[in-house]
Amino acid sequence: MREGLKFFMPLAAVFMMAACGDDTNGVDPQPDPQPEPPVVSAAHAVAVMDITTENGAPIKGKEKEDYVNCTITVDHPDDQWDYTGTGRIRGRGNSTWEWYDKKPYRIKLDEKASIVGLAAEKDWVLLANFRDPTHMMNTFVFELGHVMGMPYTNHSRYMEVTLNGEYIGLYQLTEQIEQGKNRVAVDDVEGVLIALDVDDGPEHSSSKDNFWSEVYQMPVCVKFPEDIDVTGIKKDFAQLESAILSIRKSKGNAAAIKAGMDKVRELLDVQSFIDFLIIQELVYNVELAAPRSMYMHKDKGGKWVMGPLWDFDAGFDFDWGTMTDGHHFFEDYREYVLGPDPIHHAGSYWVPEFFTDMFRSDEFCEEFIARWEEISPLIMTEVWANTEKYINAAENAMVRNSQRWPIYFPSDSWPQQEISFATEIVNMYSWLSYRVDHLTPIFNRYIQLD
């Protein structure tokens, strides 16, 4: 048993005692002392949320017009975090809403409130994590983002949810990504929050808030400000794109590359860009290629900054062939998004060159490698240890959730084999452990690219 998976140890100890008992001379041996159950902090404890819609109305859709009035009650092990209030609820998500029986939801409270210790706001998200058999993929990345200092990284709280008297499983409560004092705190007038997202871009919306970026032709949705002429934002973003493109156009000229990087630094927080890419490659988040759910923000008079981080249940070597009928992850830790050679797209996916052109700069590669050397020793120690606290606290809730929403490996044989969340957490730990070691020599070669 791997050291990092302590949440299995109490049960394992019981089995070992039963197997090793000795009744010599008819005297029962004294049992070995049992390990104390882990102390669960309020932030990691699983709460119970009860949602009752007005007149028991069903939640039929995920558009703004689909909101249904509701009352929400949260019963938390720490009584100080109990909550009762009113608001509205609707569905959310794209494939997660359309394809899976366990639905994700968005909640809008009538009044701003702190929910389970998180900063007060009206808008909250309940992630179903149906595709994620560990329930921990987003949480792991959020914890990594906090350790790396990524700005405005979301938090995780877990709760078992009852909707109109029906138990609907274990959910992850987190903040809605939006502009606000307690969210992405960019300026109320001149701040900008955008998403690079093919599912929310010009092809799928007539909104004037969506456009194709001028240089790299990426799908952009302006999340804040809303309902404005985006010409200025489009022009501002094109300046950043042009600075990045100039590095490729330098054709290897060292002085031109240096000038291009200097210009990029005037417009972009390069540290956040490096951290962002490290995270995408570490968890093999193929959504970078689309792109989907890639957020950026810019404060008044400031630089473009990557984040907040969002949506990682298509990472961890997800098998897209099981998209609608299964949940297969962790097969191979040696696959890539950026790849051994980001410049020439040697990964499994063609990532927009907005994310790869800076690897033509030795200066950028050196910073990337140095940051990996700094953060990689913390991934399976500090970051996993933080994630493990949620695992320990949610073990019983995961059992109940798996009884409500059993999931199976795709198979032509019968009966199908049910996926165990406990086994998948072991697989997640192993996959990450091997991947951290595997990526170090891959990243170290970036400086040698032509």
Side-chain angles (χ1 to χ4, degrees):
M1 184 67 65
R2 288 186 177 273
E3 183 180 357
L5 294 166
K6 301 173 186 173
F7 96 113
F8 294 108
M9 292 306 294
L11 188 58
V14 172
F15 290 152
M16 290 176 65
M17 287 175 54
C20 299
D22 182 2
D23 59 353
T24 304
N25 298 324
V27 178
D28 292 334
Q30 293 297 314
D32 293 335
Q34 290 300 293
E36 292 293 328
V39 176
V40 178
S41 71
H44 302 103
V46 178
V48 174
M49 174 180 279
D50 180 74
I51 303 170
T52 303
T53 63
E54 187 175 38
N55 299 321
I59 303 167
K60 296 182 177 180
K62 63 187 185 71
E63 305 304 326
K64 291 182 179 180
E65 59 268 22
D66 295 318
Y67 269 119
V68 176
N69 293 333
C70 66
T71 299
I72 299 165
T73 301
V74 176
D75 183 9
H76 194 277
D78 185 335
D79 293 343
Q80 298 180 69
W81 284 10
D82 288 352
Y83 168 81
T84 298
T86 58
R88 296 175 290 158
I89 185 170
R90 63 175 170 90
R92 67 163 306 280
N94 292 308
S95 61
T96 51
W97 175 260
E98 298 295 337
W99 294 346
Y100 304 134
D101 292 334
K102 185 185 180 187
K103 304 295 186 183
Y105 298 102
R106 177 164 173 184
I107 294 171
K108 181 178 284 291
L109 303 178
D110 291 333
E111 297 182 1
K112 290 183 179 181
S114 171
I115 305 292
V116 286
L118 300 179
E121 266 297 350
K122 288 186 175 182
D123 295 297
W124 302 89
V125 170
L126 283 172
L127 297 176
N129 290 326
F130 183 71
R131 190 163 67 200
D132 171 7
T134 71
H135 299 271
M136 292 292 149
M137 292 176 181
N138 285 309
T139 291
F140 173 82
V141 176
F142 293 167
E143 291 302 314
L144 178 56
H146 286 297
V147 168
M148 296 180 78
M150 287 289 286
Y152 307 123
T153 297
N154 282 37
H155 301 82
S156 291
R157 298 289 189 267
Y158 284 89
M159 48 193 59
E160 293 186 272
V161 179
T162 300
L163 176 61
N164 291 331
E166 178 187 3
Y167 176 73
I168 59 171
L170 179 65
Y171 278 75
Q172 178 185 356
L173 179 92
T174 190
E175 300 94 337
Q176 168 69 20
I177 294 181
E178 60 186 355
Q179 187 274 348
K181 178 182 176 181
N182 293 322
R183 296 293 166 83
V184 181
V186 295
D187 185 76
D188 290 342
V189 178
E190 298 185 39
V192 177
L193 172 64
I194 66 171
L196 308 178
D197 195 327
V198 71
D199 290 335
D200 202 13
E203 284 188 345
H204 299 282
S205 174
S206 59
S207 172
K208 63 182 180 180
D209 294 342
N210 299 333
F211 62 88
W212 294 104
S213 67
E214 291 186 0
V215 177
Y216 290 99
Q217 290 294 294
M218 294 187 296
V220 179
C221 179
V222 179
K223 299 293 186 179
F224 181 85
E226 296 180 354
D227 301 321
I228 63 162
D229 183 349
V230 299
T231 302
I233 296 173
K234 188 174 183 178
K235 180 179 179 180
D236 192 24
F237 191 71
Q239 290 180 334
L240 171 60
E241 289 185 299
S242 295
I244 293 174
L245 180 63
S246 72
I247 297 171
R248 186 189 342 153
K249 288 185 173 180
S250 66
K251 299 187 182 300
N253 182 283
I257 291 175
K258 179 64 167 63
M261 278 302 304
D262 289 346
K263 183 61 177 177
V264 169
R265 291 185 192 281
E266 294 176 8
L267 303 171
L268 174 70
D269 182 329
V270 174
Q271 176 71 66
S272 74
F273 194 84
I274 288 172
D275 287 354
F276 172 85
L277 290 181
I278 284 176
I279 290 170
Q280 306 304 317
E281 185 64 279
L282 171 65
V283 302
Y284 185 43
N285 186 24
V286 302
E287 301 280 37
L288 185 69
R292 288 186 181 91
S293 302
M294 305 295 158
Y295 284 89
M296 300 179 68
H297 61 275
K298 186 176 185 290
D299 208 351
K300 178 181 179 180
K303 302 178 182 181
W304 288 101
V305 183
M306 302 304 299
L309 300 164
W310 189 249
D311 195 12
F312 290 90
D313 66 348
F316 300 91
D317 197 29
F318 177 55
D319 179 359
W320 288 85
T322 68
M323 182 78 174
T324 59
D325 59 359
H327 312 265
H328 194 50
F329 294 85
F330 313 123
E331 184 69 24
D332 190 348
Y333 63 87
R334 296 163 296 184
E335 297 186 271
Y336 313 100
V337 181
L338 296 170
D341 184 353
I343 295 173
H344 300 104
H345 303 273
S348 303
Y349 292 82
W350 182 276
V351 174
E353 289 169 312
F354 175 81
F355 297 113
T356 60
D357 274 344
M358 273 190 280
F359 285 98
R360 299 171 186 273
S361 163
D362 287 351
E363 177 185 326
F364 178 83
C365 291
E366 288 169 356
E367 290 182 44
F368 187 98
I369 294 166
R371 182 58 168 158
W372 174 251
E373 290 176 349
E374 177 185 9
I375 202 65
S376 58
L378 304 179
I379 293 171
M380 300 314 298
T381 54
E382 184 173 347
V383 179
W384 183 261
N386 293 346
T387 306
E388 191 179 51
K389 294 175 183 177
Y390 294 99
I391 296 171
N392 290 332
E395 178 184 5
N396 292 332
M398 288 184 187
V399 171
R400 289 186 287 270
N401 182 86
S402 65
Q403 293 169 346
R404 177 65 178 86
W405 303 107
I407 53 178
Y408 302 90
F409 288 108
S411 174
D412 295 332
S413 62
W414 186 262
Q416 286 184 305
Q417 182 181 356
E418 185 173 345
I419 293 176
S420 161
F421 72 87
T423 299
E424 291 304 290
I425 289 172
V426 174
N427 290 339
M428 180 180 182
Y429 179 88
S430 298
W431 187 88
L432 283 166
S433 298
Y434 287 122
R435 189 161 180 82
V436 169
D437 292 339
H438 179 73
L439 287 178
T440 296
I442 298 296
F443 290 160
N444 284 339
R445 289 199 291 268
Y446 283 0
I447 198 70
Q448 302 169 11
L449 301 177
D450 294 327

